[in-house]
Amino acid sequence: MAEVNSRTGGLYVGFIKPLADVVMALVVFTIAFPVFAVLVIGLYFANDGKPFFFQRRPGKNGTIFKVVKFKTMNDRKDKDGNLLPDADRLTPLGQFIRRTSLDEIPQLINVIKGDMSFVGPRPLLEEYLPRYSARQAHRHDVKPGITGWAQVNGRNAISWKQKFDYDVWYVENISFLLDLKILFRTVKKVFVSEGISSATSATMEKFMGNEE
């Protein structure tokens, strides 16, 4: 059974990490605000007045919150009223934002609010909750993150099983040094644009069931 690292899980996870998250998020958001404002304007025109994407996601202990991201895909539909595939709805500006990971900037607001952390398992779809195995569900023992161990080890280019294995491993081994390592590796991944898409999709296929 997964268990948050007892050596650091108390003081670090309970106090130091959330405090550092809020302080760092405020600093980064202040520095990034000019870029944020330009992207809001660009996406406003690219997506018919909708620069942001809001979605319910499970956080720590499965508590639902609304994650905010830049809207990188438009709402184009086929003749039957169904949304077109992701690859057909991804706008040129959206593609650039995803490639440079700038779509994560608005999630700094979620960090400031306390819904998320800088580092942790990514917040996935609410519909996945009943599909996890007992072990996979331990990814919700900590706050979700903007980046995480799975993101720096393949992101969307790895299978769901690999992602969940990385997520649970993180929960079991969480520490300040591990978070620092993930943040440094995230910066590198952003510069080389690795793992943004899966092998068969512009984003990532849905998780349809327990893979363990």
Side-chain angles (χ1 to χ4, degrees), residues 54-114:
F54 298 91
Q55 191 171 50
R56 287 164 56 90
R57 297 287 175 97
K60 185 177 180 181
N61 299 321
T63 301
I64 304 301
F65 70 98
K66 283 191 176 181
V67 69
V68 54
K69 299 181 71 173
F70 281 134
K71 187 175 176 63
T72 57
M73 292 185 288
N74 59 39
D75 296 321
R76 289 173 55 200
K77 299 178 180 179
D78 60 24
K79 60 182 181 180
D80 297 318
N82 300 312
L83 287 173
L84 293 174
D86 289 353
D88 296 330
R89 296 188 295 116
L90 191 61
T91 64
L93 177 57
Q95 192 169 28
F96 167 77
I97 290 173
R98 281 182 48 79
R99 186 172 65 249
T100 54
S101 295
L102 292 172
D103 57 325
E104 310 295 351
I105 292 179
Q107 288 177 72
L108 292 170
I109 298 171
N110 288 119
V111 175
I112 294 170
K113 289 174 58 182

Side-chain angles (χ1 to χ4, degrees), residues 42-176:
L43 289 171
Y44 179 87
F45 290 104
N47 295 322
D48 300 319
K50 300 177 182 178
F52 298 108
F53 172 75
F54 298 91
Q55 191 171 50
R56 287 164 56 90
R57 297 287 175 97
K60 185 177 180 181
N61 299 321
T63 301
I64 304 301
F65 70 98
K66 283 191 176 181
V67 69
V68 54
K69 299 181 71 173
F70 281 134
K71 187 175 176 63
T72 57
M73 292 185 288
N74 59 39
D75 296 321
R76 289 173 55 200
K77 299 178 180 179
D78 60 24
K79 60 182 181 180
D80 297 318
N82 300 312
L83 287 173
L84 293 174
D86 289 353
D88 296 330
R89 296 188 295 116
L90 191 61
T91 64
L93 177 57
Q95 192 169 28
F96 167 77
I97 290 173
R98 281 182 48 79
R99 186 172 65 249
T100 54
S101 295
L102 292 172
D103 57 325
E104 310 295 351
I105 292 179
Q107 288 177 72
L108 292 170
I109 298 171
N110 288 119
V111 175
I112 294 170
K113 289 174 58 182
D115 298 324
M116 294 178 62
S117 173
F118 265 95
V119 180
R122 287 291 294 155
L124 301 177
L125 297 178
E126 185 179 5
E127 66 189 74
Y128 294 173
L129 284 174
R131 301 176 188 173
Y132 297 133
S133 70
R135 178 171 173 77
Q136 290 168 347
H138 281 292
R139 67 190 309 279
H140 292 294
D141 288 352
V142 298
K143 286 183 182 180
I146 293 178
T147 185
W149 191 233
Q151 275 56 52
V152 298
N153 282 285
R155 196 175 174 179
N156 289 336
I158 58 177
S159 70
W160 281 114
K161 183 180 186 306
Q162 289 173 303
K163 279 189 177 185
F164 297 143
D165 285 345
Y166 283 130
D167 287 343
V168 176
W169 184 90
Y170 172 78
V171 172
E172 296 174 329
N173 294 274
I174 187 170
S175 70
F176 170 73

